[in-house]
Amino acid sequence: MAKKNKAGGAGGGAGTPALTVVTSAGVPHTVHAYEHDPAHPSYGEEAAEALGVSADRVFKTLVADVDGALTVAVVPVSASLDLKALAAAVGGKRAAMADPVLAERTTGYVRGGISPLGQRRRLRTVLDASASAHATICVSAGRRGLEVELAPADLASLTSAVVAPVARP
């Protein structure tokens, strides 16, 4: 079940900091809610299946450590994060996945529900260049079972993201 919400529509900003950011900015978006299955092996693939959307249009939010600074990578669920490309995209040398507990504490979201939007502490963000091939993409809206669909350019603007090729098949 999806709840449509154009910028400023009733009820769209309630619920998570991510949705508050999108609504407050007046960005057109659609909120998609689905029943999360804790037994599903992949949060992102579960979202794509539940929404009936191609896995290359649903993007996962990953937190990495690039030269000691936490950095968000937003990549399609159908792909993997290229850590070397991520480091290069932000002018770094080395990248590794961040400790999940640190990622949760820093962003204010739980694993599987980390959104690139409305984080407790805003982290530098890199959006995979493949997002530009789509009119809209879906990202976590801040909790498991909740996605927000918006234009990639709007996501990049709201997060001050660098857009670079950081995903690999």
Side-chain angles (χ1 to χ4, degrees):
M1 174 197 290
K3 177 171 84 172
K4 287 225 180 239
N5 181 43
K6 302 251 173 166
T16 68
L19 293 178
T20 299
V21 166
V22 174
T23 302
S24 295
V27 170
H29 63 284
T30 305
V31 176
H32 299 279
Y34 60 92
E35 191 65 38
H36 167 61
D37 175 6
H40 200 289
S42 167
Y43 298 116
E45 288 174 11
E46 177 189 26
E49 291 166 9
L51 302 179
V53 175
S54 170
D56 64 345
R57 279 193 51 228
V58 178
F59 282 62
K60 56 190 170 186
T61 306
L62 303 172
V63 181
D65 180 317
V66 179
D67 296 336
L70 291 182
T71 303
V72 169
V74 185
V75 299
V77 301
S78 59
S80 298
L81 174 60
D82 181 332
L83 289 166
K84 286 184 180 183
L86 176 64
V90 295
K93 294 183 185 204
R94 296 189 43 162
M97 294 307 298
D99 174 70
V101 173
L102 180 60
E104 289 180 345
R105 190 175 339 135
T106 303
T107 64
Y109 295 119
V110 297
R111 209 169 126 241
I114 294 177
S115 178
L117 300 158
Q119 297 170 358
R120 180 177 290 148
R121 190 175 105 216
R122 190 170 179 172
L123 300 174
R124 63 183 173 177
T125 301
V126 179
L127 174 61
D128 185 63
S130 68
S132 301
H134 307 287
T136 61
I137 61 170
C138 296
V139 297
S140 175
R143 70 173 179 252
R144 297 171 187 156
L146 194 64
E147 296 282 310
V148 61
E149 181 178 352
L150 71 167
D154 288 335
L155 178 63
S157 176
L158 290 171
T159 59
S160 302
V162 169
V163 177
V166 293
R168 63 174 183 240

